[in-house]
Amino acid sequence: MALFGFFSKDKKESLDKGLEKTKTSFFDQLSKAVVGKSKVDEEVLDELETVLVHADVGIGTTVKIIERIEKRVARDKYVGTSDLDKILREEIAALMEENTGGVASDFSLPDTGGKPYVIMVVGVNGVGKTTTIGKLASQFHKAGKKVVLGAGDTFRAAAVDQLKIWGDRVGIPVIDHGMNTDPASVAYDAVKKGVEMNADVVIIDTAGRLHTKVGLMNELSKIKRVMQKVIEDAPQEVLLVLDGSTGQNAVIQAREFTKATEVTALAVTKLDGTAKGGVIIGISDEFKIPVKYIGVGERVEDLQVFDKREFVDSLFSKK
């Protein structure tokens, strides 16, 4: 029985499949850590700490989880290793519940009083940023939303072309000024177009260069300023896309971008190709910024609205 209740069968199958490498690696290591042991003692906890670090949960978050389990062991006096899966699952779930707010269940949007909801997407090259924007646009469009895209990563012809292909495929307008043009101007025109066509959401791509923090901060600040000439509180969301397969490097990128701009939500991609899915637990804990979307495969449908309860349930499910 699932710990957190029922969710869509297709979504669950996709999530389970996407986390397969993480689950296999994690439980293989966990089994080795407790082999020959009957109770959770200091040696088992030391081994568990190593398992969590190898799963890219992160040192700080791992220490918190171990401390939680130590308290339970002390309280319950005797905890068998057969109980470790259940206890670990419960403590990770509790930690993630504490770290972020409510759970989104679908590709819905906040009420903005008739104005388009503007999402500015940031992230380094190679993390799947433009693909994530295309899939997100597709999901919004499928949910009946009017979408406008802004091809603001004007330093890469591939990014502009890729976004235009997504727009053609889905049937939504893409505002682009070509390569080596001012990304702020693209953002301005995209938001203006969104207002004119009474769009529900405008998604703006930005350059994926993590150059100097000052340069990045200035560039993103300029994009925000020009959008606010059209909609005063734009962007209402700054979405940072991270590549889950890079493990702790994704955490480093999150640190850099949160210094450069106010990130309000995270998307973690490529979880299907890695055993480092535990990085989501550490990111959630360290930054207290909600993980809003996860990528668990190539299909549009494999970009999912992240539900921490579903994630933990899937991570600990066994065939």
Side-chain angles (χ1 to χ4, degrees):
M1 180 180 171
L3 177 65
F4 292 111
F6 175 80
F7 44 94
S8 156
K9 184 181 176 184
D10 288 346
K11 183 178 179 185
K12 183 183 185 305
E13 287 176 354
S14 178
L15 185 62
D16 287 347
K17 185 179 177 183
L19 292 177
E20 192 61 45
K21 290 185 179 180
T22 296
K23 284 194 287 189
T24 301
S25 172
F26 183 77
F27 282 113
D28 283 352
Q29 291 183 58
L30 191 59
S31 298
K32 289 173 186 173
V34 300
V35 68
K37 296 281 186 179
S38 61
K39 68 174 185 175
V40 177
D41 56 17
E42 192 173 331
E43 187 177 344
V44 168
L45 288 173
D46 284 345
E47 292 289 341
L48 176 59
E49 187 172 326
T50 301
V51 171
L52 290 169
V53 170
H54 282 170
D56 270 80
V57 171
I59 300 291
T61 306
T62 293
V63 168
K64 287 183 186 178
I65 293 169
I66 296 296
E67 286 174 349
R68 283 171 172 264
I69 294 174
E70 282 176 333
K71 286 178 183 175
R72 289 193 57 168
V73 170
R75 185 187 70 208
D76 299 340
K77 304 303 179 190
Y78 180 90
V79 176
T81 51
S82 59
D83 300 321
L84 192 55
D85 284 4
K86 176 175 176 286
I87 293 169
L88 186 57
R89 172 184 185 149
E90 288 172 354
E91 294 306 329
I92 288 175
L95 185 68
M96 293 189 76
E97 285 289 336
E98 290 169 12
N99 285 331
T100 54
V103 175
S105 59
D106 55 21
F107 288 90
S108 57
L109 294 164
D111 183 5
T112 56
K115 298 176 295 184
Y117 185 74
V118 180
I119 304 171
M120 183 171 77
V121 184
V122 299
V124 301
N125 293 333
V127 298
K129 180 167 55 73
T130 307
T131 299
T132 297
I133 292 170
K135 289 180 178 179
L136 191 56
S138 296
Q139 293 280 29
F140 282 134
H141 183 73
K142 187 178 175 183
K145 309 295 183 187
K146 274 189 183 178
V147 187
V148 174
L149 298 180
D153 187 355
T154 60
F155 296 93
R156 287 194 310 135
V160 175
D161 291 343
Q162 191 181 354
L163 213 57
K164 287 162 72 176
I165 289 168
W166 274 106
D168 289 343
R169 184 185 302 169
V170 181
I172 55 179
V174 178
I175 306 304
D176 83 279
H177 294 176
M179 260 197 80
N180 297 318
T181 54
D182 181 11
S185 176
V186 175
Y188 176 87
D189 285 350
V191 175
K192 190 165 175 284
K193 177 70 172 178
V195 171
E196 288 170 357
M197 63 177 279
N198 198 27
D200 297 293
V201 59
V202 178
I203 309 173
I204 308 293
D205 196 4
T206 62
R209 305 165 303 154
L210 189 57
H211 35 322
T212 67
K213 284 195 289 290
V214 173
L216 178 67
M217 191 179 298
N218 290 342
E219 188 171 288
L220 296 179
S221 294
K222 181 182 176 185
I223 292 171
K224 285 182 179 181
R225 282 197 309 274
V226 300
M227 287 193 290
Q228 286 165 0
K229 292 178 181 178
V230 185
I231 297 176
E232 191 176 347
D233 58 348
Q236 292 94 339
E237 182 177 309
V238 178
L239 179 68
L240 171 60
V241 180
L242 300 168
D243 178 350
S245 70
T246 63
Q248 288 303 298
N249 192 43
V251 177
I252 292 166
Q253 289 173 23
R255 285 196 197 113
E256 294 302 307
F257 272 97
T258 51
K259 289 175 189 172
T261 191
E262 186 182 355
V263 175
T264 60
L266 302 171
V268 183
T269 65
K270 307 183 186 180
L271 289 172
D272 55 310
T274 182
K276 298 178 178 181
V279 73
I280 283 189
I281 301 165
I283 287 171
S284 169
D285 179 50
E286 179 171 344
F287 297 100
K288 308 296 187 287
I289 298 169
V291 177
K292 197 168 184 181
Y293 307 106
I294 55 171
V296 291
E298 296 295 324
R299 302 176 308 161
V300 167
E301 296 78 13
D302 292 329
L303 179 71
Q304 298 188 358
V305 173
F306 179 67
D307 185 319
K308 46 189 171 283
R309 296 170 296 183
E310 292 180 9
F311 173 80
V312 175
D313 193 65
S314 181
L315 186 62
F316 283 87
S317 66
K318 295 181 181 179
K319 291 181 179 177

